[in-house]
Amino acid sequence: MPVGVVAKLNPETGRLQLQPGDVLLFFTDGLIEQKNNENDEYGLARVQEYLTGSTEKNLKTRRIELLEGFHTFRNQTPLHDDVSLLMIRYKG
């Protein structure tokens, strides 16, 4: 159950069949809702595009690259929310 969400939330459950090497990314909404100085949101599409890129890199490198891209996008725009993320690689 998500933390800090309204009481009437009806989350859906499901199952994933992970393959060795698959990466899971969990993040707070501060990542995708961050705006730049042109009032554009970072958005889920940018995160998805990043995830489909170089998948062989270690998770520390991938995390750094994701956050560097995020900060480049927002430029000097102040953070409007927390930005937290967790990456997990399934090894099988």
Side-chain angles (χ1 to χ4, degrees), residues 24-80:
L24 299 174
L25 173 62
F26 302 90
F27 55 89
T28 59
D29 61 349
L31 180 70
I32 59 173
E33 293 177 357
Q34 176 65 42
K35 294 185 178 183
N36 63 11
N37 57 1
E38 296 172 4
N39 210 32
D40 296 324
E41 283 191 348
Y42 190 68
L44 186 57
R46 282 185 174 80
V47 175
Q48 290 171 322
E49 181 179 316
Y50 166 77
L51 286 175
T52 59
S54 50
T55 59
E56 299 304 315
K57 295 180 181 179
N58 68 52
L59 294 186
K60 181 178 180 181
T61 300
R62 295 193 76 194
R63 176 183 52 85
I64 290 169
E65 290 175 349
L66 174 61
L67 290 174
E68 284 176 346
F70 169 80
H71 290 297
T72 298
F73 168 82
R74 76 177 185 86
N75 196 0
Q76 298 298 316
T77 305
L79 291 171
H80 81 281

Side-chain angles (χ1 to χ4, degrees), residues 14-29:
R15 292 180 182 259
L16 295 173
Q17 183 65 46
L18 298 176
Q19 301 299 316
D22 284 352
V23 173
L24 299 174
L25 173 62
F26 302 90
F27 55 89
T28 59
D29 61 349

